Amino acid sequence: ARGGAGAMEARGVRQVVVVGAGLAGLGAVQRLRGTDSGSVRLLEAASHPGGRVRTRPFGLAEMGAHWIHGPSPGNPVFCLATRYGLLGPEAAREENQRAEAGGHPSLPSITYGSSGRALSPQAVREAHDLFDTLLASARDFRGAEKPPAPSVGQYVRTEITRRVPLAILATCLKLECCISGTHSMDLVALEPFGEYISLPGLDCTFPGGYSRLPERMLSTLPEGTVLLNKAVRTIQWQGSFREEGDNARDYPVRVECEDGDTFLADHVIVTVPLGFLKERHQDFFQPPLPERKAEAIRRLGFGTNNKIFLEFEQPFWEPQQQLIEVVWENESPLEKPSTDLKANWFKKLIGFVVLQPPEHGHVLCGFIAGKESEYMETLSDAEVLSTMTHVLQSAPTGNPLLPTPRSMLRSQWHSTPYTRGSYSYVAVGSSGDDIDILAQPLPEDPKDPRPLQLLFAGEATHRTFYSTTHGALLSGWREAERLNQLLEPSRGSEGQK
Ligand SMILES: Cc1cc2nc3c(=O)[nH]c(=O)nc-3n(C[C@H](O)[C@H](O)[C@H](O)COP(=O)(O)OP(=O)(O)OC[C@H]3O[C@@H](n4cnc5c(N)ncnc54)[C@H](O)[C@@H]3O)c2cc1C
């Protein structure tokens, strides 16, 4: 049974390993109690903490998370960032925190057709309003036994009846692919779509960069806790492992790193991304994960959304514009998109967000999702830059003489070995239950004398906040709390360290 005298006796010698120093892993370590200093190790494959939170000094380019979605008192990332003094004065305003943006910040924007003409703001607004209405209604099928379509994409398409704004609606669907981190909304299951919860609050950013958050979190941990460049190769569990020369104590889990180092543990919190699990779970865990969990890993969706940052000597956009949307005028969401990636990959681009504030340079951030985004990752910097220049010369400016951007930086999340994509979604054929199955600790038997050998955190394990930083942080806290309960059941749950 959990806890009790056995657990108390074992206190102090409990060894905990956390794999992954993203927000889930860092949050978990900050929250752990009942472990002595030196008994917790956080192993991170990369040379930096933060995982998919990664700021680069390119106009403060956020390679991963950009916004705090729903920055309000219910959002733990918002609370932590506020406590660390990392946010600007706008974010602190109560009106901002109460605003209901429905998860989609609306930025002052302009929309260009691919022929270079600016589209009528009214037509664009009407199309966006129609799309928003359709998407909001797509959230109404929670629990429906027979949803009208299997996927969000099919549902939205069948609901679209007006011909005029079709091309704009095609861009709306592509934008939704970026938000959902998927190749196509046809892959996103309709019935569970409404389970994702948007918190209130107008999305805000970190004036000093998102990476300040994981860096601050890391600085609160005892020295030596976090080991960077320490990729884990395998996690053996249900074993009986001893330190050399110490026969008094055996551990059920052995974590082996790529560099040959090993760590014995009673508990391991695994926060690696779902993309990594999809690729590696069969040989990463020994013995392999139970079939139920392996199935959940296979079924849940994990796609790619990338950013392309372009820096200009001078802005060609108006100072008030924050979003430059690009619409491919002959497209329709009712037609199958081209599969010729080489010829058409760039048409998946939805446009560019203007990075604020301009003190960091005149930088646009393009967003592109799906297989086209993965194809973009295989191209050279020069090829991407030349294609982007061509897109900008034809669509938003109609100016073939527009100077080439001064420099370019892009994310390549699909090729990043320990991530393998951007974030998770509930795919057709899976459900929110798969998220819960993924989150369940192992061994499954609650009476196992060596409980909680493997615990699972990370954004993909949060049923209502998956794909976000706050979902990741909360999942880390959840698993830390689960261990706290085992190690010190009498103390109940308390505030964090
Ligand atoms: C392009 C993009 C834009 C985004 N925009 C936003 C946004 O605006 N707002 C928002 O809220 N969220 C956003 N997100 C999502 C958000 O960044 C993630 O949900 C969150 O950061 C995930 O945290 P995590 O701890 O679950 O995983 P991660 O941050 O991925 O951390 C997992 C860590 O595990 C490490 N790891 C993996 N395998 C191993 C191994 N074998 N051994 C050791 N370490 C390993 C990885 O290197 C990584 O550091 C965005 C993500 C991307 C990619």
Side-chain angles (χ1 to χ4, degrees):
R2 284 185 186 185
M8 294 304 282
E9 270 163 32
R11 258 187 72 196
V13 289
R14 291 263 164 182
Q15 295 293 323
V16 180
V17 169
V18 179
V19 184
L23 290 193
L26 287 165
V29 176
Q30 277 193 321
R31 272 270 163 132
L32 277 172
R33 288 191 315 264
T35 48
D36 286 355
S37 171
S39 64
V40 181
R41 284 275 182 282
L42 174 51
L43 309 181
E44 167 54 55
S47 58
H48 50 84
R52 282 169 278 169
V53 169
R54 175 104 163 103
T55 312
R56 300 276 302 274
F58 186 102
L60 278 192
E62 301 292 6
M63 308 304 285
H66 187 109
W67 290 281
I68 300 183
H69 292 312
S72 47
N75 184 322
V77 168
F78 174 70
C79 296
L80 202 57
T82 304
R83 216 175 74 201
Y84 292 157
L86 300 178
L87 299 179
E90 270 299 295
R93 285 178 41 216
E94 283 205 4
E95 303 94 271
N96 267 26
Q97 295 171 33
R98 276 197 301 267
E100 290 286 351
H104 291 58
S106 100
L107 302 172
S109 61
I110 181 154
T111 304
Y112 290 98
S114 42
S115 63
R117 71 187 171 105
L119 303 191
S120 136
Q122 195 190 338
V124 173
R125 206 174 33 251
E126 279 175 11
H128 276 275
D129 286 350
L130 169 64
F131 187 78
D132 290 349
T133 312
L134 294 181
L135 202 70
S137 67
R139 297 187 191 280
D140 289 340
F141 300 104
R142 268 186 76 182
E145 251 170 46
K146 279 197 161 219
S151 71
V152 177
Q154 267 169 273
Y155 169 73
V156 167
R157 271 206 309 276
T158 51
E159 291 294 306
I160 291 172
T161 49
R162 284 196 288 173
R163 183 72 210 176
V164 188
L166 282 184
I168 303 172
L169 288 167
T171 296
C172 293
L173 267 176
K174 289 179 210 170
L175 172 60
E176 205 47 45
C177 286
C178 292
I179 293 168
S180 288
T182 182
H183 171 62
S184 159
M185 290 307 286
D186 289 4
L187 302 174
V188 178
L190 183 60
E191 188 278 324
F193 192 57
E195 278 197 16
Y196 175 87
I197 293 176
S198 293
L199 291 169
L202 289 182
D203 289 3
C204 68
T205 56
F206 287 71
Y210 227 123
S211 279
R212 291 260 180 104
L213 180 66
E215 284 159 12
R216 271 302 291 274
M217 291 170 81
L218 190 140
S219 72
T220 66
L221 305 177
E223 221 177 325
T225 303
V226 181
L227 304 179
L228 299 173
N229 299 308
K230 203 43 104 187
V232 171
R233 191 198 335 241
T234 50
I235 301 178
Q236 290 165 275
W237 56 296
Q238 291 290 43
S240 176
F241 303 103
R242 297 195 170 172
E243 299 279 10
E244 242 178 56
D246 177 6
N247 276 340
R249 172 91 169 81
D250 69 29
Y251 299 88
V253 193
R254 181 173 181 272
V255 176
E256 189 187 325
C257 297
E258 297 284 359
D259 62 7
D261 274 2
T262 56
F263 298 84
L264 304 189
D266 301 284
H267 314 284
V268 174
I269 304 180
V270 181
T271 78
V272 303
L274 177 61
F276 176 86
L277 285 179
K278 277 183 181 287
E279 188 180 67
R280 292 280 308 277
H281 75 91
Q282 274 135 327
D283 57 330
F284 194 64
F285 299 97
Q286 293 167 6
L289 297 173
E291 194 42 36
R292 244 159 63 90
K293 204 182 269 284
E295 271 292 310
I297 290 171
R298 277 193 286 273
R299 280 196 296 252
L300 284 168
F302 195 80
T304 305
N305 175 29
N306 272 313
K307 302 183 185 178
I308 304 174
F309 299 91
L310 302 171
E311 188 192 11
F312 293 84
E313 295 285 348
Q314 291 302 327
F316 60 81
W317 53 93
E318 298 297 321
Q320 77 281 4
Q321 266 151 23
Q322 291 184 35
L323 177 69
I324 300 170
E325 191 180 50
V326 177
V327 167
W328 303 96
E329 282 161 282
N330 295 328
E331 285 192 352
S332 154
L334 306 180
E335 283 155 24
K336 282 249 168 275
S338 161
T339 49
D340 185 350
L341 294 178
K342 191 168 186 297
N344 291 314
W345 69 269
F346 56 89
K347 293 189 181 162
K348 193 67 167 274
L349 186 87
I350 57 110
F352 302 87
V353 169
V354 180
L355 287 203
Q356 309 281 341
E359 295 93 85
H360 296 291
H362 303 294
V363 179
L364 296 182
C365 170
F367 287 82
I368 181 164
K371 295 205 173 86
E372 293 82 354
S373 189
E374 290 163 16
Y375 179 77
M376 179 276 293
E377 293 188 22
T378 65
L379 300 175
S380 68
D381 278 0
E383 282 170 300
V384 175
L385 182 61
S386 126
T387 307
M388 286 298 109
T389 307
H390 185 72
V391 167
L392 285 165
Q393 284 173 342
S394 49
T397 65
N399 173 8
L401 302 176
L402 181 86
T404 306
R406 185 157 80 174
S407 51
M408 189 208 69
L409 177 73
R410 59 180 157 152
S411 62
Q412 289 165 293
W413 288 107
H414 186 253
S415 344
T416 303
Y418 295 98
T419 308
R420 308 297 282 138
S422 296
Y423 33 86
S424 62
Y425 62 91
V426 184
V428 171
S430 70
S431 74
D433 289 347
D434 282 330
I435 299 181
D436 290 342
I437 292 171
L438 183 60
Q440 261 169 28
L442 294 173
E444 276 172 329
D445 180 0
K447 295 206 184 73
D448 195 295
R450 297 179 308 166
L452 304 188
Q453 292 175 35
L454 301 184
L455 302 98
F456 294 84
E459 54 85 14
T461 68
H462 198 289
R463 184 151 181 168
T464 55
F465 294 147
Y466 55 86
S467 79
T468 64
T469 53
H470 51 282
L473 185 59
L474 283 172
S475 73
W477 287 355
R478 179 192 66 216
E479 296 313 310
E481 216 45 68
R482 211 193 287 273
L483 264 186
N484 291 342
Q485 287 295 317
L486 175 76
L487 302 176
E488 297 192 315
S490 54
R491 284 180 58 173
S493 76
E494 287 174 15
Q496 69 200 97
K497 266 186 198 171

